[in-house]
Amino acid sequence: MPLVQIHLLQGKTAKLRRKVGEIVYQTMVDTINVPPKDSFQIISEHDENSLIYDPEYLNIQRTDEIVIIQITLNEGRTVELKKAFYKRLAERLHSELGIRMEDVFISLVEVKKENWSFGNGVAQYAE
Amino acid sequence: MPLVQIHLLQGKTAKLRRKVGEIVYQTMVDTINVPPKDSFQIISEHDENSLIYDPEYLNIQRTDEIVIIQITLNEGRTVELKKAFYKRLAERLHSELGIRMEDVFISLVEVKKENWSFGNGVAQYAE
Amino acid sequence: MPLVQIHLLQGKTAKLRRKVGEIVYQTMVDTINVPPKDSFQIISEHDENSLIYDPEYLNIQRTDEIVIIQITLNEGRTVELKKAFYKRLAERLHSELGIRMEDVFISLVEVKKENWSFGNGVAQYAE
């Protein structure tokens, strides 16, 4: 059910972009109970005039390697689960792809379970 | 008030993309009480490394004809209305454009009525 | 914390696009208590088949200069604060950039404060 939107600055390889997406997905499965195979993502590149970030908000030093991840998902996960997800995701993007943990920006948007149709015109989670 | 974002894989004609948007809009008017003329949409194309979908999550067989539709709209519609919308939208995309019903992915994001300004710096729905 | 997404039709200069973003950010700081430096934005251009708007919904005359602004931000701001933000933003885009107030479309999506990580894998607002 999560719909993941990932924004990067131009210049990354298609392979890297896909790998970022795979790690986001796998970390959701591992930490916040996202079902296997439930992977739907939009990954977008932007030029430097189109992806704007502050390089030091909250005293975190960000660079052009920033990855902005916005995830629409079902409501109800605890604060502790969300924290575990953020931590694990930043750690994995760093250890597996060399992305600085400072450059991992995450935004969650929560919705009700009846707000999805995965095909066939059916609200699969509301049945 | 709905703001509709539609994501498709590259290769569709501009005409088809617009027609998808028109059917999404008209189906909202017909099923979930969206007012006439209230049509605001962003339709985006993506390459195969940028729009990721699982081809069989929930045992629904999806193809590269997938249409991912995310709609920001006012909260308060019933589960039954949402179900009617999903069903009618998938049926119409199929009957009018030949899109497989399995390839229609819908995500709703609900907001308060004071969360919109349609121009002039006024919160028209909160007056 | 706000994540701002701005959609414009093609043909604007990079300078204008960035200036729109700066005014959106500065107006949030001035009217709805967004912290200094908290600026994260995606600014996208679209062709006329990809950004769809109604030219007269609610009797507001819109043109191809339309600016669609969607902001994900923390919940809890009052209706009065939101109204002040809409008004000031439309006024500033008009007075500073010549954008018609009718062409300023704003959509807010509210989330919980624990729904953000600004880097380092930490939920900074939930500490």
Side-chain angles (χ1 to χ4, degrees):
Chain A
M1 120 280 326
L3 181 59
V4 174
Q5 294 181 268
I6 299 173
H7 302 280
L8 303 156
L9 279 162
Q10 282 175 349
K12 278 75 181 176
T13 63
K15 186 178 173 187
L16 178 87
R17 293 199 307 271
R18 286 202 71 135
K19 190 70 183 150
V20 169
E22 288 168 19
I23 290 174
V24 171
Y25 162 66
Q26 194 58 51
T27 306
M28 294 192 298
V29 172
D30 292 345
T31 61
I32 54 171
N33 306 314
V34 165
K37 298 192 176 180
D38 186 356
S39 183
F40 299 89
Q41 309 193 329
I42 306 294
I43 305 172
S44 304
E45 289 188 296
H46 306 274
D47 67 35
E48 62 181 5
N49 289 305
S50 303
L51 189 161
I52 311 296
Y53 65 90
D54 188 274
E56 56 181 36
Y57 178 57
L58 296 176
N59 290 318
I60 297 166
Q61 310 302 314
R62 295 177 196 86
T63 72
D64 284 355
E65 305 306 303
I66 192 167
V67 180
I68 295 181
I69 302 160
Q70 186 165 52
I71 303 174
T72 307
L73 79 172
N74 280 342
E75 63 191 7
R77 287 167 174 91
T78 64
V79 175
E80 291 316 306
L81 274 186
K82 291 173 186 174
K83 287 182 177 178
F85 171 64
Y86 303 151
K87 181 170 189 291
R88 190 79 188 106
L89 178 54
E91 287 173 349
R92 288 193 61 179
L93 289 172
H94 179 62
S95 65
E96 297 184 33
L97 297 180
I99 295 170
R100 298 166 64 255
M101 288 180 65
E102 291 92 335
D103 282 328
V104 180
F105 181 106
I106 308 167
S107 160
L108 305 182
V109 175
E110 293 176 287
V111 301
K112 294 183 190 307
K113 70 183 194 307
E114 62 263 26
N115 283 17
W116 302 92
S117 176
F118 294 89
N120 288 326
V122 173
Q124 282 87 2
Y125 291 164
E127 298 302 292
Chain B
M1 118 283 323
L3 181 59
V4 174
Q5 294 181 267
I6 299 173
H7 302 279
L8 303 156
L9 279 162
Q10 282 175 350
K12 279 74 181 177
T13 63
K15 186 178 173 187
L16 178 88
R17 294 199 307 272
R18 286 201 71 135
K19 190 71 183 149
V20 169
E22 288 167 20
I23 291 174
V24 171
Y25 162 66
Q26 194 58 51
T27 306
M28 293 192 298
V29 172
D30 292 346
T31 60
I32 54 171
N33 307 314
V34 165
K37 299 193 176 179
D38 186 358
S39 183
F40 299 89
Q41 309 193 330
I42 307 293
I43 305 172
S44 304
E45 289 190 296
H46 307 273
D47 68 33
E48 63 181 3
N49 288 304
S50 302
L51 189 161
I52 312 295
Y53 65 91
D54 188 274
E56 57 179 36
Y57 177 58
L58 296 176
N59 289 318
I60 296 166
Q61 310 301 313
R62 296 177 194 84
T63 72
D64 284 354
E65 305 305 304
I66 192 166
V67 180
I68 295 182
I69 301 160
Q70 187 164 51
I71 303 174
T72 307
L73 79 172
N74 280 341
E75 63 190 9
R77 287 167 173 91
T78 64
V79 175
E80 291 316 307
L81 274 186
K82 292 173 185 173
K83 287 182 178 178
F85 170 64
Y86 303 150
K87 181 170 189 291
R88 189 78 188 107
L89 178 53
E91 287 172 348
R92 287 193 61 180
L93 289 172
H94 179 62
S95 65
E96 298 184 33
L97 297 180
I99 294 171
R100 298 167 63 254
M101 289 180 66
E102 291 92 333
D103 282 328
V104 180
F105 181 107
I106 308 166
S107 161
L108 305 182
V109 175
E110 293 177 288
V111 301
K112 295 183 188 307
K113 70 184 192 308
E114 63 263 26
N115 283 17
W116 301 92
S117 175
F118 295 90
N120 288 325
V122 173
Q124 283 86 2
Y125 291 164
E127 299 302 291
Chain C
M1 115 287 321
L3 181 59
V4 174
Q5 294 180 269
I6 299 173
H7 302 280
L8 303 156
L9 279 163
Q10 282 175 348
K12 278 76 181 176
T13 63
K15 186 179 173 186
L16 178 88
R17 294 200 306 271
R18 287 201 70 135
K19 191 70 182 147
V20 169
E22 288 167 20
I23 291 174
V24 171
Y25 162 66
Q26 193 58 52
T27 306
M28 294 192 298
V29 172
D30 293 346
T31 61
I32 55 170
N33 307 314
V34 165
K37 299 192 176 180
D38 186 357
S39 182
F40 299 89
Q41 309 192 330
I42 306 293
I43 305 172
S44 303
E45 289 189 295
H46 306 273
D47 67 34
E48 62 180 5
N49 288 305
S50 302
L51 188 161
I52 312 296
Y53 66 91
D54 187 275
E56 55 179 39
Y57 177 58
L58 296 177
N59 290 317
I60 296 165
Q61 309 301 313
R62 296 178 194 84
T63 71
D64 284 355
E65 305 306 304
I66 192 167
V67 180
I68 295 181
I69 301 160
Q70 186 163 53
I71 304 174
T72 307
L73 78 174
N74 280 342
E75 63 190 7
R77 288 167 173 91
T78 64
V79 175
E80 291 316 306
L81 274 186
K82 291 174 185 174
K83 287 183 178 179
F85 170 64
Y86 302 151
K87 181 170 188 292
R88 189 78 187 106
L89 179 54
E91 286 172 349
R92 288 194 62 179
L93 289 172
H94 178 63
S95 65
E96 298 184 33
L97 298 180
I99 294 170
R100 298 167 64 255
M101 288 180 64
E102 293 92 333
D103 282 327
V104 180
F105 181 107
I106 309 167
S107 160
L108 305 182
V109 175
E110 294 178 285
V111 301
K112 296 182 189 306
K113 69 182 194 307
E114 64 262 26
N115 283 17
W116 302 91
S117 176
F118 293 90
N120 289 327
V122 173
Q124 282 86 2
Y125 290 166
E127 298 303 291

Coordinates of all heavy atoms in Angstrom, one line a residue, chain A residues 5 7 46-54 56-58 60 62 66 68 70 77 79 82-83 86-88 90 101-110, chain C residues 1-3 5 14-15 17-18 35-44 72 109-112 114-127:
Chain A
Q5 N 7.3 8.2 -3.2 CA 7.8 9.2 -4.2 C 9.2 9.6 -3.7 O 9.4 10.1 -2.6 CB 6.8 10.3 -4.3 CG 5.5 9.8 -5.0 CD 4.5 10.9 -5.2 OE1 3.7 11.1 -4.3 NE2 4.5 11.5 -6.3
H7 N 12.7 11.8 -4.7 CA 13.2 13.0 -5.4 C 14.7 13.1 -5.2 O 15.2 13.1 -4.1 CB 12.5 14.3 -5.0 CG 11.0 14.3 -5.1 ND1 10.4 14.5 -6.3 CD2 10.1 14.0 -4.2 CE1 9.1 14.4 -6.1 NE2 8.9 14.1 -4.8
H46 N 15.5 16.0 -10.7 CA 15.3 17.4 -10.8 C 16.6 18.1 -11.0 O 17.6 17.7 -10.4 CB 14.6 17.9 -9.5 CG 13.4 17.1 -9.2 ND1 12.1 17.4 -9.7 CD2 13.2 16.1 -8.4 CE1 11.2 16.6 -9.2 NE2 11.8 15.7 -8.4
D47 N 16.6 19.3 -11.6 CA 17.8 20.1 -11.7 C 17.9 21.0 -10.5 O 17.0 21.0 -9.6 CB 17.9 20.9 -13.0 CG 16.8 22.0 -13.1 OD1 16.4 22.6 -12.0 OD2 16.3 22.2 -14.2
E48 N 19.0 21.7 -10.4 CA 19.3 22.4 -9.1 C 18.4 23.6 -8.9 O 18.3 24.1 -7.7 CB 20.8 22.9 -9.1 CG 21.0 23.8 -10.3 CD 22.5 24.3 -10.3 OE1 23.3 23.8 -9.5 OE2 22.7 25.2 -11.2
N49 N 17.6 24.0 -9.9 CA 16.6 25.0 -9.7 C 15.3 24.5 -9.3 O 14.3 25.2 -9.0 CB 16.5 25.9 -10.9 CG 17.7 26.8 -11.1 OD1 18.1 27.5 -10.2 ND2 18.4 26.6 -12.3
S50 N 15.2 23.2 -9.3 CA 13.8 22.5 -9.1 C 13.8 21.7 -7.8 O 12.7 21.4 -7.4 CB 13.5 21.7 -10.3 OG 13.6 22.4 -11.5
L51 N 14.9 21.3 -7.3 CA 14.9 20.6 -6.0 C 15.6 21.5 -5.1 O 16.9 21.7 -5.2 CB 15.5 19.2 -6.1 CG 15.4 18.3 -4.9 CD1 15.6 16.9 -5.2 CD2 16.3 18.8 -3.7
I52 N 14.9 22.1 -4.1 CA 15.5 23.1 -3.2 C 15.6 22.5 -1.8 O 14.6 21.8 -1.4 CB 14.6 24.3 -3.1 CG1 14.1 24.8 -4.5 CG2 15.2 25.4 -2.3 CD1 15.3 25.3 -5.4
Y53 N 16.7 22.6 -1.2 CA 16.8 22.1 0.2 C 17.7 23.1 1.0 O 18.5 23.8 0.4 CB 17.5 20.7 0.2 CG 18.9 20.7 -0.3 CD1 19.9 20.8 0.6 CD2 19.2 20.5 -1.6 CE1 21.3 20.8 0.2 CE2 20.5 20.5 -2.0 CZ 21.5 20.7 -1.1 OH 22.8 20.7 -1.6
D54 N 17.5 23.2 2.3 CA 18.3 24.0 3.1 C 19.5 23.1 3.5 O 19.4 22.0 4.0 CB 17.6 24.5 4.3 CG 18.4 25.5 5.1 OD1 19.3 25.0 5.9 OD2 18.3 26.7 4.8
E56 N 21.5 23.3 6.0 CA 21.9 23.2 7.4 C 20.7 23.3 8.4 O 21.0 23.4 9.6 CB 22.9 24.2 7.8 CG 22.5 25.7 7.5 CD 23.6 26.7 7.8 OE1 24.8 26.4 7.6 OE2 23.2 27.8 8.3
Y57 N 19.5 23.2 7.9 CA 18.3 23.2 8.9 C 18.5 22.1 10.0 O 18.8 21.0 9.7 CB 17.0 23.0 8.1 CG 15.8 23.0 9.0 CD1 15.5 24.1 9.9 CD2 15.0 21.9 9.0 CE1 14.4 24.0 10.7 CE2 13.9 21.9 9.9 CZ 13.6 22.9 10.7 OH 12.5 22.9 11.5
L58 N 18.3 22.5 11.2 CA 18.4 21.7 12.4 C 19.9 21.2 12.6 O 20.2 20.2 13.2 CB 17.5 20.5 12.3 CG 16.0 20.8 12.3 CD1 15.2 19.5 12.2 CD2 15.6 21.5 13.6
I60 N 21.9 20.0 10.5 CA 22.3 18.9 9.7 C 22.8 19.3 8.4 O 22.2 20.1 7.7 CB 21.0 18.0 9.5 CG1 20.5 17.5 10.9 CG2 21.3 16.8 8.6 CD1 19.1 16.9 10.8
R62 N 23.5 19.1 4.8 CA 23.0 18.4 3.6 C 23.8 18.8 2.3 O 24.3 19.9 2.3 CB 21.5 18.7 3.4 CG 20.7 18.2 4.5 CD 19.2 18.6 4.4 NE 18.5 18.3 5.6 CZ 18.5 19.3 6.6 NH1 19.0 20.4 6.4 NH2 18.0 19.0 7.8
I66 N 21.3 14.7 -1.6 CA 20.1 14.6 -0.8 C 19.0 13.7 -1.5 O 18.9 13.7 -2.7 CB 19.4 16.0 -0.5 CG1 18.3 15.9 0.5 CG2 18.9 16.6 -1.8 CD1 17.9 17.2 1.1
I68 N 15.0 12.9 -1.1 CA 13.8 13.3 -0.5 C 12.8 12.2 -0.7 O 12.5 11.9 -1.9 CB 13.3 14.6 -1.0 CG1 14.2 15.8 -0.5 CG2 11.9 14.9 -0.5 CD1 13.8 17.1 -1.0
Q70 N 9.0 10.7 0.1 CA 7.7 10.9 0.7 C 6.9 9.7 0.4 O 6.7 9.2 -0.7 CB 7.0 12.1 0.0 CG 5.7 12.5 0.7 CD 5.1 13.9 0.4 OE1 5.0 14.2 -0.7 NE2 4.8 14.6 1.5
R77 N 0.6 3.3 12.5 CA 1.9 2.8 13.1 C 2.3 3.7 14.2 O 2.1 4.9 14.2 CB 2.9 2.8 11.9 CG 2.7 1.7 11.0 CD 3.4 1.8 9.7 NE 3.2 0.6 8.9 CZ 2.3 0.4 8.0 NH1 1.4 1.4 7.7 NH2 2.2 -0.7 7.3
V79 N 4.8 5.7 17.0 CA 6.0 6.6 16.9 C 7.2 5.7 16.9 O 8.2 5.9 16.2 CB 6.0 7.6 18.0 CG1 7.3 8.4 18.0 CG2 4.8 8.5 17.9
K82 N 7.9 4.2 13.5 CA 8.3 5.2 12.6 C 9.8 5.5 12.8 O 10.6 5.6 11.9 CB 7.5 6.4 12.7 CG 6.0 6.2 12.2 CD 5.2 7.5 12.4 CE 3.7 7.2 12.1 NZ 2.8 8.3 12.4
K83 N 10.2 5.7 14.1 CA 11.6 6.0 14.4 C 12.5 4.8 14.0 O 13.6 5.1 13.4 CB 11.7 6.2 15.9 CG 11.2 7.5 16.4 CD 11.4 7.6 17.9 CE 11.0 9.0 18.5 NZ 11.2 9.1 19.9
Y86 N 12.9 5.2 10.2 CA 13.8 6.2 9.7 C 15.3 5.8 10.0 O 16.2 6.0 9.1 CB 13.6 7.5 10.5 CG 12.2 8.1 10.5 CD1 11.7 8.8 11.6 CD2 11.4 7.9 9.4 CE1 10.4 9.4 11.5 CE2 10.1 8.4 9.3 CZ 9.6 9.2 10.4 OH 8.3 9.7 10.4
K87 N 15.5 5.3 11.1 CA 16.9 4.9 11.5 C 17.5 3.8 10.6 O 18.6 4.0 10.0 CB 16.9 4.4 13.0 CG 18.3 4.0 13.5 CD 18.2 3.8 15.0 CE 19.6 3.6 15.7 NZ 20.2 2.4 15.2
R88 N 16.7 2.8 10.4 CA 17.1 1.7 9.6 C 17.3 2.1 8.1 O 18.3 1.7 7.4 CB 16.1 0.5 9.7 CG 16.6 -0.7 9.0 CD 17.6 -1.5 9.9 NE 18.2 -2.6 9.2 CZ 19.4 -2.7 8.8 NH1 20.3 -1.6 9.0 NH2 19.9 -3.7 8.2
A90 N 18.0 5.2 6.9 CA 19.2 6.0 6.7 C 20.5 5.2 6.8 O 21.4 5.3 6.1 CB 19.2 7.1 7.8
M101 N 24.0 9.8 5.9 CA 22.8 9.8 6.6 C 22.1 11.2 6.8 O 20.9 11.3 6.8 CB 23.0 9.2 8.0 CG 23.3 7.7 7.9 SD 23.6 6.9 9.6 CE 22.0 7.1 10.4
E102 N 22.9 12.2 6.7 CA 22.4 13.6 6.8 C 21.5 13.9 5.6 O 20.7 14.8 5.6 CB 23.6 14.6 6.8 CG 24.4 14.6 8.1 CD 25.6 13.6 8.1 OE1 25.6 12.7 7.3 OE2 26.5 13.9 8.8
D103 N 21.8 13.2 4.5 CA 21.1 13.5 3.2 C 19.8 12.7 3.0 O 19.2 12.7 1.9 CB 22.1 13.3 2.1 CG 23.1 14.4 1.9 OD1 22.7 15.5 2.2 OD2 24.2 14.1 1.4
V104 N 19.3 12.0 4.0 CA 18.1 11.2 3.9 C 17.0 12.0 4.6 O 16.9 12.1 5.8 CB 18.3 9.8 4.6 CG1 17.0 9.0 4.4 CG2 19.5 9.1 3.9
F105 N 16.1 12.5 3.7 CA 14.9 13.3 4.2 C 13.7 12.4 4.0 O 13.4 12.0 2.9 CB 14.9 14.6 3.3 CG 13.7 15.5 3.7 CD1 14.0 16.7 4.4 CD2 12.4 15.3 3.3 CE1 13.0 17.6 4.7 CE2 11.4 16.1 3.7 CZ 11.7 17.3 4.3
I106 N 12.9 12.3 5.0 CA 11.7 11.4 4.9 C 10.5 12.1 5.4 O 10.5 12.8 6.4 CB 11.9 10.1 5.8 CG1 13.3 9.4 5.5 CG2 10.8 9.1 5.6 CD1 13.7 8.4 6.5
S107 N 9.4 11.9 4.6 CA 8.1 12.5 5.0 C 7.0 11.5 4.8 O 6.9 10.8 3.8 CB 7.8 13.7 4.0 OG 6.4 14.0 4.0
L108 N 6.2 11.2 5.9 CA 5.1 10.3 5.8 C 3.8 11.0 5.7 O 3.5 11.9 6.4 CB 5.1 9.3 7.0 CG 6.4 8.6 7.3 CD1 6.2 7.7 8.6 CD2 6.9 7.8 6.2
V109 N 2.9 10.5 4.9 CA 1.5 11.0 4.8 C 0.6 9.7 5.0 O 0.7 8.8 4.3 CB 1.2 11.6 3.4 CG1 -0.2 11.9 3.3 CG2 2.1 12.8 3.1
E110 N -0.2 9.8 6.1 CA -1.0 8.7 6.5 C -2.5 8.8 6.0 O -3.0 9.9 6.1 CB -1.0 8.5 8.0 CG 0.4 8.2 8.5 CD 0.5 8.1 10.0 OE1 0.5 9.1 10.7 OE2 0.6 7.0 10.5
Chain C
M1 N 9.8 22.0 8.2 CA 9.1 20.7 7.9 C 8.2 20.8 6.7 O 7.9 19.7 6.2 CB 8.3 20.3 9.2 CG 6.8 20.3 9.1 SD 5.8 21.8 9.1 CE 6.5 22.9 10.2
P2 N 7.8 21.9 6.3 CA 6.9 21.7 5.1 C 7.7 21.2 4.0 O 8.9 21.6 3.7 CB 6.4 23.2 4.8 CG 6.8 24.0 6.0 CD 8.0 23.3 6.6
L3 N 7.1 20.3 3.2 CA 7.6 19.9 1.9 C 6.7 20.5 0.9 O 5.5 20.2 0.9 CB 7.7 18.3 1.8 CG 8.2 17.8 0.5 CD1 9.6 18.3 0.2 CD2 8.2 16.3 0.5
Q5 N 5.5 21.4 -2.9 CA 5.6 21.0 -4.3 C 4.9 22.1 -5.2 O 3.7 22.4 -4.9 CB 5.0 19.6 -4.5 CG 5.9 18.6 -3.8 CD 5.4 17.2 -3.9 OE1 4.7 16.7 -3.1 NE2 5.9 16.5 -5.0
A14 N 14.1 29.9 -15.0 CA 14.5 29.3 -13.7 C 14.5 30.3 -12.6 O 14.1 30.0 -11.4 CB 15.9 28.7 -13.9
K15 N 14.8 31.5 -12.9 CA 14.8 32.5 -11.9 C 13.4 32.8 -11.3 O 13.2 32.9 -10.1 CB 15.4 33.8 -12.5 CG 15.6 35.0 -11.5 CD 16.1 36.2 -12.2 CE 16.2 37.4 -11.2 NZ 16.6 38.6 -11.9
R17 N 10.9 30.6 -11.3 CA 10.5 29.5 -10.5 C 11.1 29.5 -9.1 O 10.4 29.3 -8.1 CB 10.9 28.2 -11.2 CG 10.2 28.0 -12.6 CD 10.3 26.5 -13.0 NE 11.7 26.0 -13.1 CZ 12.4 26.0 -14.1 NH1 12.0 26.6 -15.3 NH2 13.7 25.5 -14.1
R18 N 12.4 29.8 -9.0 CA 13.0 29.9 -7.7 C 12.4 31.0 -6.9 O 12.3 30.8 -5.7 CB 14.5 30.1 -7.9 CG 15.2 28.8 -8.4 CD 16.7 28.9 -8.0 NE 16.9 28.7 -6.6 CZ 17.8 27.9 -6.1 NH1 18.6 27.2 -6.8 NH2 18.0 27.9 -4.8
P35 N 9.8 27.4 10.8 CA 11.1 27.9 11.3 C 12.0 28.4 10.2 O 11.9 27.9 9.1 CB 11.7 26.6 11.9 CG 10.6 25.6 12.0 CD 9.6 26.0 11.0
P36 N 12.9 29.3 10.5 CA 13.9 29.7 9.6 C 14.7 28.5 9.1 O 14.9 27.6 9.8 CB 14.8 30.7 10.4 CG 13.9 31.2 11.5 CD 13.0 30.1 11.8
K37 N 15.1 28.6 7.8 CA 15.9 27.6 7.2 C 15.1 26.3 6.8 O 15.7 25.4 6.2 CB 17.1 27.2 8.0 CG 18.1 28.4 8.2 CD 19.4 27.9 8.8 CE 20.3 29.1 8.9 NZ 21.7 28.7 9.4
D38 N 13.9 26.2 7.2 CA 13.1 25.0 7.0 C 12.5 25.0 5.6 O 11.3 25.2 5.4 CB 12.1 24.8 8.1 CG 11.4 23.5 8.0 OD1 11.6 22.7 7.1 OD2 10.5 23.3 8.9
S39 N 13.4 24.9 4.6 CA 12.9 25.1 3.2 C 13.3 23.9 2.3 O 14.5 23.6 2.1 CB 13.5 26.3 2.6 OG 13.0 26.5 1.3
F40 N 12.3 23.1 2.0 CA 12.5 21.9 1.1 C 11.4 22.0 0.0 O 10.2 22.0 0.4 CB 12.4 20.7 1.9 CG 13.5 20.6 3.0 CD1 13.3 21.2 4.3 CD2 14.8 20.1 2.7 CE1 14.3 21.2 5.2 CE2 15.8 20.1 3.6 CZ 15.5 20.7 4.9
Q41 N 11.8 22.0 -1.2 CA 10.8 22.2 -2.3 C 11.1 21.4 -3.5 O 12.3 21.2 -3.9 CB 10.8 23.7 -2.7 CG 10.6 24.6 -1.5 CD 10.3 26.0 -1.9 OE1 10.7 26.5 -3.0 NE2 9.5 26.7 -1.1
I42 N 10.1 21.0 -4.2 CA 10.2 20.4 -5.6 C 9.4 21.3 -6.5 O 8.2 21.5 -6.2 CB 9.6 19.0 -5.6 CG1 10.3 18.1 -4.5 CG2 9.8 18.4 -7.0 CD1 11.7 17.8 -4.7
I43 N 10.0 21.8 -7.5 CA 9.3 22.7 -8.4 C 9.3 22.1 -9.8 O 10.4 21.7 -10.4 CB 10.1 24.1 -8.5 CG1 10.2 24.7 -7.1 CG2 9.3 25.1 -9.4 CD1 11.1 25.9 -7.0
S44 N 8.1 21.8 -10.4 CA 8.0 21.1 -11.6 C 7.3 21.9 -12.7 O 6.4 22.6 -12.4 CB 7.2 19.8 -11.4 OG 7.8 19.0 -10.3
T72 N 2.9 19.9 2.2 CA 2.8 18.9 3.3 C 3.4 19.5 4.6 O 4.6 19.9 4.5 CB 3.5 17.6 3.0 OG1 3.1 17.1 1.7 CG2 3.2 16.5 4.0
V109 N -1.7 19.6 2.9 CA -1.8 18.2 3.4 C -1.2 18.2 4.8 O 0.0 18.4 4.9 CB -1.1 17.2 2.5 CG1 -1.2 15.8 3.1 CG2 -1.8 17.3 1.1
E110 N -1.9 17.9 5.8 CA -1.4 17.9 7.2 C -1.1 16.5 7.7 O -1.8 15.6 7.5 CB -2.5 18.6 8.1 CG -2.7 20.0 7.8 CD -3.8 20.7 8.6 OE1 -5.0 20.4 8.4 OE2 -3.4 21.4 9.5
V111 N 0.0 16.5 8.5 CA 0.5 15.2 9.0 C 1.0 15.4 10.5 O 1.1 16.5 11.0 CB 1.7 14.7 8.2 CG1 1.3 14.5 6.7 CG2 2.9 15.6 8.3
K112 N 1.2 14.3 11.1 CA 1.7 14.4 12.5 C 3.1 14.7 12.6 O 3.9 14.5 11.7 CB 1.5 13.0 13.2 CG 0.0 12.6 13.3 CD -0.1 11.2 14.0 CE -1.6 10.7 13.9 NZ -2.6 11.7 14.4
E114 N 5.5 13.5 14.2 CA 6.5 12.3 14.1 C 6.7 11.8 12.7 O 7.3 10.8 12.5 CB 6.1 11.2 15.1 CG 4.7 10.6 14.7 CD 3.6 11.1 15.5 OE1 3.7 12.3 16.0 OE2 2.6 10.4 15.7
N115 N 6.0 12.4 11.7 CA 6.1 11.9 10.4 C 7.2 12.4 9.5 O 7.2 12.3 8.3 CB 4.7 12.1 9.7 CG 3.6 11.2 10.1 OD1 3.8 10.5 11.2 ND2 2.6 11.1 9.4
W116 N 8.2 13.0 10.2 CA 9.3 13.6 9.5 C 10.6 13.1 10.0 O 10.8 13.0 11.2 CB 9.3 15.1 9.6 CG 8.1 15.8 9.2 CD1 7.0 16.1 10.0 CD2 7.8 16.4 7.9 NE1 6.1 16.8 9.2 CE2 6.5 17.0 8.0 CE3 8.5 16.4 6.7 CZ2 6.0 17.6 6.9 CZ3 7.9 17.0 5.6 CH2 6.7 17.6 5.7
S117 N 11.6 12.9 9.1 CA 13.0 12.8 9.5 C 13.8 13.7 8.6 O 13.7 13.6 7.3 CB 13.5 11.4 9.3 OG 14.9 11.3 9.6
F118 N 14.5 14.6 9.2 CA 15.2 15.7 8.4 C 16.7 15.3 8.2 O 17.5 16.1 7.8 CB 15.2 17.0 9.1 CG 13.8 17.5 9.1 CD1 12.9 17.2 10.2 CD2 13.3 18.3 8.1 CE1 11.6 17.7 10.2 CE2 12.0 18.8 8.1 CZ 11.2 18.5 9.2
G119 N 17.0 14.0 8.4 CA 18.4 13.6 8.2 C 18.8 12.8 9.4 O 18.2 12.8 10.5
N120 N 19.8 11.9 9.2 CA 20.4 11.1 10.2 C 19.5 10.0 10.8 O 19.8 9.4 11.8 CB 20.9 12.0 11.4 CG 22.1 12.8 11.0 OD1 23.0 12.4 10.2 ND2 22.2 14.0 11.6
G121 N 18.4 9.8 10.1 CA 17.5 8.7 10.5 C 16.8 9.0 11.8 O 16.4 8.0 12.5
V122 N 16.6 10.2 12.2 CA 16.0 10.6 13.4 C 14.7 11.4 13.2 O 14.6 12.1 12.2 CB 17.0 11.6 14.2 CG1 16.3 12.1 15.5 CG2 18.3 10.8 14.6
A123 N 13.7 11.1 14.0 CA 12.4 11.9 14.0 C 12.6 13.1 14.8 O 12.1 13.2 15.9 CB 11.3 11.0 14.5
Q124 N 13.2 14.1 14.2 CA 13.6 15.3 15.0 C 12.4 16.0 15.8 O 12.6 16.5 16.9 CB 14.3 16.4 14.1 CG 15.7 16.0 13.8 CD 15.8 15.1 12.5 OE1 14.8 14.8 11.9 NE2 17.0 14.7 12.2
Y125 N 11.2 16.0 15.2 CA 10.1 16.7 15.9 C 9.4 15.8 16.9 O 8.6 16.3 17.7 CB 9.1 17.1 14.9 CG 9.5 18.2 14.0 CD1 8.8 18.5 12.8 CD2 10.6 19.0 14.2 CE1 9.2 19.5 12.0 CE2 11.0 20.0 13.4 CZ 10.3 20.3 12.2 OH 10.7 21.3 11.4
A126 N 9.8 14.5 17.0 CA 9.2 13.6 18.0 C 10.1 13.4 19.2 O 9.7 12.6 20.0 CB 8.8 12.3 17.3
E127 N 11.2 14.0 19.2 CA 12.1 13.8 20.4 C 11.5 14.4 21.6 O 10.8 15.4 21.6 CB 13.5 14.4 20.1 CG 14.1 13.7 18.8 CD 14.2 12.2 19.0 OE1 15.0 11.8 19.8 OE2 13.5 11.5 18.3

